[in-house]
Amino acid sequence: MFHGLMSPLNLQSLAGVLLILVLCWLFSENKRRFPFFLTIGAIGLQLALVLALFGVPAIRAGLTNFGAVFDGLAKSAQAGMAFVFGFLSGAGPQPYPLTTPSALFVFGFRVLPVIMVVCTLAALLWHWHILKWITKAFGFVFSRTMGLRGPTALAAAATIFMGQVEGPIIIRAYLNRLTRSELFLLITVGMACVSGSTMVAYVTILQGVLPNAAAHILTASIITAPAGILVARILVPRDPAAEAAQDKMPPDERVYKSSMDAIMKGIHDGMQIAVNVAACLIVFVALVAMINMMLGALPQVGGAPISVERVLGYVFAPVAWCLGIQASEIQTAGQLLGTKMMLTEFTAFIKLGAIPAAEMTERTRTIMTYALCGFANVASVGINLAGYSVLLPERRDEVIKMVGKAMLAGFFAT
């Protein structure tokens, strides 16, 4: 599937990595503190993770089988929807003949319920200490390989599985003692990664067009965390003098009284996230449609009307080229990248999943899966402002000033 290591497309990708590092340095708050050792460590950690996840036969087989877990979660969610909404969920016998079976895939019935189910399952696994052990293991790796302090490393690791606002909750008592650099790092990692609930939703969207989609989505979220840490450290370098030594971690505030308490709170959190995702999609898609209608009044260009998607395709085409996308597909890839930033990654994944297999190479589809797998979009700016206003009200003004830059940093990381 992939060309040789030194093929022109792979050289494009290497040039893209260097370009991102240079751009981040140019916009750094302290150009004299470029983290050379962290750069080596972060890229090395990414390579090690990729080699371990895809190079070790046992782990690779586990990733392949992981798709069955995602599929099981999706089917479980659909069973719940079928019980409540019957044939409208797309499951079970239909009361009328189907002329367009693909129309049964309704986002609200097939994807949003998965988010609620996985959020509930995550809360239960956290209460049983299973997810907590996994998070601490990743936190230990980030602390040892990337020089993060314990609380920051733990929150960054938790963000991979729990989400951009939910992850920092586990160190809520410590948030006010984070330095500016550490706070910016947490917001950036949150923008660069996704949550466990949305991972399953993405796999649901991409099934049928991307082989082994579950393994790629899971890998993308894991390996993007070191990239987010690196980009954040370049833009807002670490200030050792501002970091007070902390010998003990603050108490973990995410405590459930029982398994049933975890389930009920997980349902509540999942419902809030699902409603938020649905609301963002409705509003942002409507705004784009409104703009497209206004642009439709302009003369056509190249035999087609001007649209937001076409404009974004041209703007982000150079970025797509830097990812190693072949010239014939950079326009389409650029549209997906622009859609991801200006709308949401959900909208971009839906568009990616709708592209027939014959119209996009497997290489490009795989690369775009990794590039789109992150929360770095305009909607997430609002989500972070709302979340951190509750978690850290005394530093709200500071968060307002850095959240836009964190979105760009998260976009660079993916």
Side-chain angles (χ1 to χ4, degrees), residues 28-92:
S28 173
E29 294 185 357
N30 191 334
K31 295 182 177 61
R32 295 181 179 181
R33 287 187 174 178
F34 186 87
F36 290 101
F37 292 108
L38 178 61
T39 301
I40 297 172
I43 296 177
L45 178 58
Q46 283 189 303
L47 291 173
L49 287 171
V50 170
L51 290 174
L53 293 170
F54 286 102
V56 179
I59 300 179
R60 185 171 183 176
L63 280 176
T64 302
N65 295 330
F66 202 69
V69 177
F70 277 52
D71 186 53
L73 289 170
K75 288 182 178 178
S76 299
Q78 193 173 11
M81 289 298 294
F83 181 80
V84 176
F85 294 102
F87 71 92
L88 293 176
S89 67

Side-chain angles (χ1 to χ4, degrees), residues 34 57 63 164 269 303 336 384:
F34 186 87
L63 280 176
Q164 55 188 330
D269 292 343
L336 293 172
N384 275 273

